Amino acid sequence: SRAMALLDESIKRYRNRDENCKPSNATINIMANIITNSDESDRETQVLALFQSMEDIGFKPDLVSFNIL
């Protein structure tokens, strides 16, 4: 989706030290919620991959993150 592509680009830029593109937990949680409520057959895999990306850049899942699962 377009939203996921934008988040991926933001994470990529943040990994390349662009602090202006730092995603927030809220942004990632909103994207996870969108994926969870989609009709995609692999939505669980997508959400877990998103949370793995979140941890890879130093974010910790919060209570909202776990409630989405």
Side-chain angles (χ1 to χ4, degrees), residues 2-43:
R2 177 86 173 128
M4 193 64 196
L6 289 171
L7 180 58
D8 287 342
E9 180 65 22
S10 176
I11 290 171
K12 177 182 165 188
R13 288 181 182 200
Y14 179 68
R15 284 184 175 148
N16 289 324
R17 308 212 191 292
D18 184 346
E19 289 291 322
N20 293 323
C21 292
K22 181 179 181 179
S24 67
N25 274 20
T27 302
I28 295 170
N29 287 337
I30 289 167
M31 191 68 229
N33 194 38
I34 290 168
I35 294 168
T36 301
N37 291 314
S38 73
D39 292 334
E40 299 287 329
S41 61
D42 66 338
R43 61 184 178 255

